[in-house]
Amino acid sequence: MTNSMKRTNAWSFSQDIASDVIVNAGGVSFSLHKFPLVSKCGYIRKLVSDPKDVNVLVVDIPDVPGGSEGFELAAKFCYGINFELSTENIAMVRCVAEYLEMTEDYAIGNLVSRSELYLNEVGFKTLTSAVSILQSSADLLPMADKVKLIGRCIDTIAFIVTKESPFSPSGGTTGALITSTSSSSQPKAVVDWWAEDLIVLRIDIFQRVLLAMISRGFKQCALGPILMLYAQKCLRGLEIFGKIKKKIEPKEEHEKRIVLETIVSLLPRERNAMSVSFLSMLLRAAIYLETTMACRLDLEKRMGKQLAQAVLDDILIPCYHFDGDTLFDVDTVQRVMMNYLEYELEGPRDDEYVSSPQSDMEKVGKLMESYLAEIASDRNLLVVKFTSLAEHIPEQAKLSEDGMYRAIDIYLKAHPTLNDIERKKVCSLMDCQKLSREACAHAAKNDRLPVQTVVQVLYYEQQRLRDNLDGGLIAVEPTTTNNNQPLNDELSRLKKENQDLKFEILKMKMRLKEVERSSGDKSAVSSPASTGYSADKPPLPRKSFINSVTKKLGKITPFFRADGTLPSSTRGRKKPAKDRRHSIS
């Protein structure tokens, strides 16, 4: 016997009259008396109203709200047995009383009126009790909606929250849900006192509560913290930071997918209402759970608007379906960056987040260069994907090409099987004129770079040194020994750099000779456009090609004499370009 049956038999058999009706409710049989039931339950009165010459009637109530527990409370009320009403059982009592038609038409002070009295005087007075009743009402549908129990709970919650919150027209000054901005312009959420109560609700009920709050004037931009709290609770357990998708139960996956899509639909439309890291977490989960494309595109657009606030970890989104493809979802990150560029093209806007568009652009440029360097070591990353992402980084976002050079160098090292055309295509992504001196020094010794790129780097570095020298000679007017000291130091430094460049070119020539010696009589074929020869002339061998480039570079004016002193013709003034002689050999 179940506990319900034992309790019911205890107080029903205590009566002096034998039971004459058996009620099957919620899978449990109750041996009861007809008179107490029909005196207060209109539903049972209608079932037993047809007189039959039988000693014991059997009544089946399979779909009674609350099951056997709910019917037991109603039966106790019919027998006049006291039981305590609470926020945990009032929803069940109200629904079962409505189902059994326990109204004033059958008895004064019946169960419907008693439960309504408790709701009005206790249940709808505080937020905690209203949330508790609402949570239990979610399992009593559709009867809970029929008695408008869910609707009244939602209205009560929305009224209490908007009354106490400053994010509404009639908001108070305490208990605020605050979203502040730190020095790094990342929003920080302070979760209000009512948020912990609401996150226990089922997602559909939770959505109805938030919509009711908004309809009462609650600002949608202030919903961010509670949405973050609800998402963290419901999406816990997903391995969204791993590189392999782990299998979960289909039912659990479906529930989490519904939760995520609902949360995304409730996100504030205002920029910077949510942190980039939270949006990144939602996007990872959306890809992991395979939500609708509209959900994912919405998150990508939101991230694009705030890409300047992101860090590298925010865009390192794993490719969960790893089957020989890339380790990271490069296509998603590229769409996020395109959304950022489209947003910037819209022009100036009045946002909470105040920052210079140029500084934002530079941050995004550095971020994408760091991302390229991170994914470049992936051996499965195709050249077309690497170059496509790099080409979308705007020029105004790059103060120098050091970050791009680092990414290119990592990519070439991880992909040693690239042919010459592919290596030239990858190296064409950087502007050698914007490389720093340290990057130029590294590139001059880099065996992975094509020869043309190395020559280009050396040429621009030599040109920069010449411009710096000419500018220094014009700007400095030697008057005293002390004033000449900075000039001497600068000349010594430039002399050393010039000698280093000459040494690097000499090393490159020697390396080319070794390559030619090891490959026999084979020579590299240059195109007519690069060598200056027509199609009917034989191509230059690789040695001749390098010599021709060296001769062109040899036209650069020597900075110093053989003894290391500055030529007198250039000391203190800038010589006309037509009188300059060029040599770096």
Side-chain angles (χ1 to χ4, degrees):
M1 297 178 65
T2 63
N3 292 332
S4 297
M5 293 178 63
K6 290 178 180 179
R7 290 193 301 268
T8 304
N9 289 336
W11 50 260
S12 63
F13 290 155
S14 64
Q15 310 294 327
D16 295 334
I17 304 174
S19 61
D20 54 2
V21 60
I22 296 177
V23 180
N24 297 321
V28 178
S29 297
F30 296 88
S31 297
L32 303 173
H33 300 86
K34 184 191 302 182
F35 179 73
L37 296 178
V38 299
S39 64
K40 295 183 179 180
C41 297
Y43 181 83
I44 296 180
R45 177 181 294 189
K46 294 175 184 178
L47 292 178
V48 300
S49 61
D50 187 16
K52 293 181 181 180
D53 190 15
V54 292
N55 294 329
V56 180
L57 295 176
V58 179
V59 178
D60 294 323
I61 314 177
D63 53 352
V64 61
S68 60
E69 185 180 358
F71 179 78
E72 181 184 0
L73 294 177
K76 282 185 175 182
F77 182 81
C78 294
Y79 277 87
I81 299 175
N82 293 330
F83 62 90
E84 184 179 358
L85 288 177
S86 64
T87 56
E88 286 76 19
N89 66 12
I90 186 60
M92 180 172 56
V93 171
R94 178 65 184 89
C95 290
V96 73
E98 185 73 19
Y99 184 86
L100 296 177
E101 301 178 21
M102 303 177 70
T103 63
E104 299 295 305
D105 296 336
Y106 300 98
I108 301 298
N110 213 341
L111 191 55
V112 170
S113 60
R114 292 285 186 90
S115 57
E116 282 292 334
L117 183 64
Y118 179 87
L119 288 172
N120 294 329
E121 293 187 355
V122 180
F124 297 148
K125 291 299 183 179
T126 64
L127 179 68
T128 303
S129 59
V131 171
S132 178
I133 296 172
L134 180 58
Q135 186 179 9
S136 57
S137 299
D139 299 327
L140 298 169
L141 294 172
M143 184 56 68
D145 262 338
K146 181 180 179 180
V147 299
K148 299 180 180 180
L149 193 58
I150 292 182
R152 286 186 291 170
C153 287
I154 290 176
D155 289 341
T156 300
I157 295 171
F159 172 76
I160 294 175
V161 170
T162 53
K163 180 181 178 181
E164 298 291 336
S165 174
F167 294 100
S168 59
S170 58
T173 58
T174 60
L177 177 68
I178 303 172
T179 301
S180 61
T181 304
S182 66
S183 59
S184 60
S185 302
Q186 287 284 3
K188 291 186 178 180
V190 180
V191 181
D192 204 350
W193 57 272
W194 47 265
E196 293 286 350
D197 293 326
L198 296 188
I199 63 173
V200 301
L201 299 174
R202 207 170 64 187
I203 185 61
D204 54 336
I205 305 297
F206 178 76
Q207 181 183 21
R208 291 175 61 178
V209 170
L210 295 191
L211 293 177
M213 290 166 51
I214 295 173
S215 66
R216 282 184 173 270
F218 192 89
K219 294 181 180 180
Q220 189 176 7
C221 62
L223 294 179
I226 188 173
L227 291 175
M228 293 174 61
L229 201 63
Y230 194 91
Q232 291 170 358
K233 177 186 78 74
C234 295
L235 301 179
R236 187 181 295 114
L238 291 180
E239 298 290 340
I240 59 176
F241 294 97
K243 293 182 174 61
I244 299 178
K245 180 178 179 180
K246 294 184 178 180
K247 291 184 179 181
I248 58 177
E249 293 296 329
K251 181 179 179 181
E252 181 184 1
E253 184 177 359
H254 175 72
E255 292 174 353
K256 292 184 181 296
R257 186 183 301 116
I258 296 299
V259 169
L260 180 56
E261 292 176 353
T262 304
I263 289 176
V264 173
S265 67
L266 292 171
L267 291 176
R269 307 308 307 179
E270 293 82 1
R271 183 177 181 236
N272 303 306
M274 314 298 298
S275 67
V276 180
S277 58
F278 176 66
L279 295 175
S280 174
M281 187 270 290
L282 293 183
L283 182 57
R284 293 168 190 259
I287 298 173
Y288 187 94
L289 295 171
E290 299 180 3
T291 61
T292 60
M293 183 58 67
C295 176
R296 280 177 273 179
L297 293 178
D298 187 13
L299 290 171
E300 290 173 6
K301 186 174 183 180
R302 292 175 184 273
M303 277 195 68
K305 291 181 179 180
Q306 300 176 221
L307 189 58
Q309 306 169 30
V311 295
L312 181 59
D313 287 341
D314 294 332
I315 59 175
L316 286 177
I317 302 174
C319 188
Y320 297 108
H321 302 283
F322 182 74
D323 52 359
D325 200 355
T326 56
L327 292 174
F328 296 100
D329 196 338
V330 182
D331 295 332
T332 296
V333 175
Q334 183 167 339
R335 288 194 298 268
V336 170
M337 187 177 66
M338 294 302 296
N339 285 322
Y340 168 77
L341 296 177
E342 291 178 5
Y343 183 74
E344 288 298 321
L345 290 176
E346 294 177 2
R349 293 158 299 274
D350 296 330
D351 288 331
E352 297 177 4
Y353 175 69
V354 180
S355 178
S356 170
Q358 184 60 31
S359 64
D360 279 358
M361 188 74 73
E362 293 171 2
K363 291 178 182 177
V364 171
K366 292 181 180 178
L367 176 66
M368 298 314 299
E369 288 175 347
S370 300
Y371 180 76
L372 284 172
E374 188 70 26
I375 66 175
S377 58
D378 184 359
R379 295 181 179 274
N380 296 307
L381 182 62
L382 300 177
V383 174
V384 62
K385 280 196 173 185
F386 182 83
T387 56
S388 177
L389 182 60
E391 288 171 352
H392 283 90
I393 303 177
E395 289 298 325
Q396 60 268 31
K398 297 185 287 186
L399 295 179
S400 71
E401 292 287 342
D402 288 11
M404 183 63 67
Y405 170 67
R406 176 172 173 265
I408 291 173
D409 185 41
I410 296 174
Y411 188 81
L412 294 178
K413 184 177 181 180
H415 301 78
T417 59
L418 296 180
N419 56 42
D420 291 341
I421 297 177
E422 291 174 331
R423 289 196 300 148
K424 290 178 182 177
K425 184 176 182 181
V426 172
C427 291
S428 66
L429 297 172
M430 66 175 174
D431 185 359
C432 297
Q433 297 186 71
K434 292 185 178 181
L435 290 175
S436 65
R437 291 182 176 177
E438 293 77 6
C440 286
H442 186 278
K445 308 173 187 177
N446 197 339
D447 296 335
R448 292 181 286 272
L449 298 180
V451 176
Q452 293 86 343
T453 304
V454 175
V455 172
Q456 196 176 18
V457 169
L458 293 174
Y459 172 78
Y460 286 126
E461 179 64 10
Q462 193 80 314
Q463 188 179 43
R464 178 166 54 188
L465 290 173
R466 181 191 62 195
D467 294 339
N468 291 341
L469 179 61
D470 291 343
L473 291 175
I474 294 175
V476 179
E477 296 181 1
T479 55
T480 63
T481 305
N482 293 333
N483 291 336
N484 286 335
Q485 185 62 34
L487 176 60
N488 294 333
D489 294 341
E490 179 68 13
L491 292 179
S492 299
R493 184 180 62 80
L494 293 176
K495 173 184 175 181
K496 184 178 182 304
E497 292 179 354
N498 186 40
Q499 296 295 335
D500 291 342
L501 287 174
K502 291 180 180 180
F503 180 68
E504 291 301 330
I505 293 178
L506 181 60
K507 286 175 60 179
M508 185 181 66
K509 289 181 180 180
M510 295 176 63
R511 188 165 65 246
L512 289 176
K513 289 180 180 180
E514 292 176 359
V515 171
E516 291 176 352
R517 191 178 301 111
S518 61
S519 60
D521 295 332
K522 294 182 180 180
S523 58
V525 179
S526 303
S527 62
S530 63
T531 61
Y533 285 85
S534 60
D536 57 348
K537 293 183 179 180
L540 285 174
R542 182 163 185 165
K543 181 177 180 180
S544 301
F545 169 72
I546 296 298
N547 289 336
S548 66
V549 175
T550 306
K551 288 180 180 179
K552 292 180 180 179
L553 292 176
K555 296 180 181 180
I556 301 177
T557 304
F559 298 150
F560 306 95
R561 290 197 183 97
D563 57 358
T565 60
L566 189 69
S568 58
S569 59
T570 60
R571 191 174 301 163
R573 63 184 180 87
K574 187 175 181 181
K575 198 169 183 178
K578 63 181 180 179
D579 294 335
R580 294 182 182 176
R581 297 182 180 180
H582 301 271
S583 175
I584 61 174
S585 58

